[in-house]
Amino acid sequence: MSDIEIGRGKRGRRAYSFDDIAVVPSRRTRDPEDVSTTWQIDAYHFDIPVMSAPMDSVASPATAVALGQLGGLGVLDLEGLWTRYEDPEPLLAEIAGLDPAVAIPRMQEIYAEPVKAELITSRLAEVRASGVTVAGALSPQRTQEFWKVVVDAGVDLFVIRGTTVSAEHVSGTTEPLNLKRFIYELDVPVVVGGAAGYTAALHLMRTGAAGVLVGFGGGAAHTTRTALGIHAPMASAVADVAAARRDYMDESGGRYVHVIADGGVGTSGDIVKAIACGADAVMLGAALARATEAPGRGWHWGPEAHHAVLPRGERVRVGTTAPLAEILNGPGRVADGTTNLMGALRRSMATTGYSDLKEFQRIEVVVSPYQPA
């Protein structure tokens, strides 16, 4: 792909968001009931390719269990309110009712409470008691401090999630997390990210990660593009990381690393396009924050919104659309792609003639001839 000249001294590669592309039907169609949306990461099988974003507005222990019972994977934020307070419900209600003018400073105060190891243990135990797959997330900065607590609590999948995560972090003041050594010594599969391009993803795959999260600054609650000037349009980012997976398979003798789209996946159409670009699954934030059971009560925010020094996220109103089961499996009651997400994915796969997710990754994609309003 040729670069675009921005000015005489700078050229840039054209990149595409999910809004810029569309999938194209093939020569056959299928019955939606004949389509499979199952996927597997390491030894864990799931009926639907959905992980919850580890954000307090999305995932509580109860909603993580509910998503697991519906065939997905709930991921708890192990640095969130549930591991800082014995009963975070009054604080969640307060955050939902904050005036926008004071929302960020008040959230910074609330999240100044230290993370407590015993609460990490009890929250993960609550999920484990339900019988679903247990997943918890830490930021790279807190992984060295709490990883043993997480593993001892019996986590099945360990997620290391930051706005961006690299295999090589350089610091002149602290000893950085050595991902390759850390993952090699750990007894559980690790999903790590976000990565936004081919080279960064390839290096993360070489650490031994079971999955790579793709995304940087594209989520509904992010202001990273405004605050830091950094953004990775998701269609191009997922396709680039899928190419890194292909090349890493050749390099490693066949080791497959799962690609998970994380950010900018707000509707069922976005899920369709993420998988079409090469994702194995999606990590959903705003899409699940719209559930009636969601802890955010119709509001959505991530850790970037309450960063103590440089907030680069917002508390955004996403509204309440339907119960979690209807958001995932229908029946849909609105036509905007926010309910029956998996029904829409099956319908798209069936309409275009594909029977499973791996096949669907090979579908033809075109650049859309219109700009959404």
Side-chain angles (χ1 to χ4, degrees):
M1 183 187 299
S2 60
D3 288 346
I4 298 170
E5 184 178 289
I6 296 168
R8 289 181 182 269
K10 181 68 70 174
R11 300 183 68 85
R13 182 169 69 99
R14 177 71 167 95
Y16 298 94
S17 69
F18 291 138
D19 281 341
D20 294 323
I21 67 167
V23 299
V24 179
S26 67
R27 62 183 175 85
R28 68 165 63 91
T29 57
R30 296 182 184 274
D31 190 311
E33 298 304 314
D34 295 334
V35 168
S36 171
T37 59
T38 62
W39 75 297
Q40 176 181 349
I41 182 167
D42 204 76
Y44 302 99
H45 298 256
F46 303 96
D47 293 334
I48 58 175
V50 172
M51 300 170 67
S52 69
M55 304 165 84
D56 278 339
S57 56
V58 177
S60 66
T63 57
V65 169
L67 179 56
Q69 292 171 339
L70 289 166
L73 176 63
V75 184
L76 280 181
D77 178 7
L78 300 180
E79 299 172 43
L81 296 180
W82 294 92
T83 59
R84 296 173 191 262
Y85 297 91
E86 192 70 44
D87 179 13
E89 291 290 355
L91 292 168
L92 288 163
E94 180 187 347
I95 291 172
L98 287 173
D99 184 285
V102 301
I104 288 180
R106 176 55 183 146
M107 289 169 69
Q108 288 173 320
E109 292 175 355
I110 291 171
Y111 280 90
E113 179 73 16
V115 174
K116 299 173 179 63
E118 64 273 17
L119 287 178
I120 292 177
T121 300
S122 64
R123 302 311 185 195
L124 291 174
E126 186 178 340
V127 179
R128 174 162 293 285
S130 72
V132 303
T133 303
V134 183
L138 290 172
S139 65
Q141 295 81 4
R142 306 300 287 272
T143 294
Q144 296 202 88
E145 182 179 358
F146 289 115
W147 72 266
K148 193 173 189 307
V149 175
V150 175
V151 173
D152 289 348
V155 73
D156 295 314
L157 286 164
F158 196 135
V159 178
I160 302 175
R161 183 180 188 258
T163 306
T164 187
V165 177
S166 66
E168 181 181 356
H169 177 70
V170 180
S171 174
T173 57
T174 60
E175 181 183 356
L177 175 67
N178 184 323
L179 271 177
K180 190 167 187 175
R181 185 177 67 199
F182 175 78
I183 292 174
Y184 178 78
E185 294 175 353
L186 213 58
D187 290 331
V188 298
V190 176
V191 175
V192 62
Y198 175 92
T199 302
L202 185 60
H203 282 285
L204 287 177
M205 292 172 186
R206 288 170 177 163
T207 67
V212 171
L213 300 171
V214 185
F216 192 114
H222 279 256
T223 59
T224 307
R225 184 171 186 171
T226 303
L228 301 183
I230 304 174
H231 177 58
M234 282 296 290
S236 294
V238 172
D240 284 346
V241 176
R245 174 184 60 204
R246 177 199 63 210
D247 292 347
Y248 178 70
M249 283 185 69
D250 292 340
E251 173 188 305
S252 63
R255 184 173 181 272
Y256 189 92
V257 179
H258 292 81
V259 173
I260 300 154
D262 175 18
V265 193
T267 66
S268 54
D270 294 331
I271 296 171
V272 167
K273 296 172 192 179
I275 294 170
C277 287
D280 297 287
V282 295
M283 179 171 271
L284 300 182
L288 301 184
R290 300 185 184 109
T292 54
E293 305 96 322
R297 296 160 169 79
W299 291 88
H300 181 47
W301 67 92
E304 300 82 10
H306 52 76
H307 192 280
V309 178
L310 182 61
R312 49 196 183 276
E314 295 177 317
R315 183 201 59 155
V316 296
R317 179 70 179 169
V318 295
T320 299
T321 304
L324 181 62
E326 287 189 18
I327 284 179
L328 290 173
N329 297 317
R333 304 181 192 279
V334 291
D336 59 2
T338 61
T339 59
N340 200 2
L341 303 180
M342 293 300 99
L345 174 60
R346 291 187 185 93
R347 176 73 62 176
S348 185
M349 292 170 66
T351 300
T352 54
Y354 294 86
S355 61
D356 60 43
L357 299 176
K358 284 287 194 298
E359 278 192 2
F360 195 58
Q361 291 172 346
R362 300 195 295 268
I363 192 172
E364 181 182 354
V365 173
V366 296
V367 177
S368 300
Y370 62 89
Q371 290 295 324

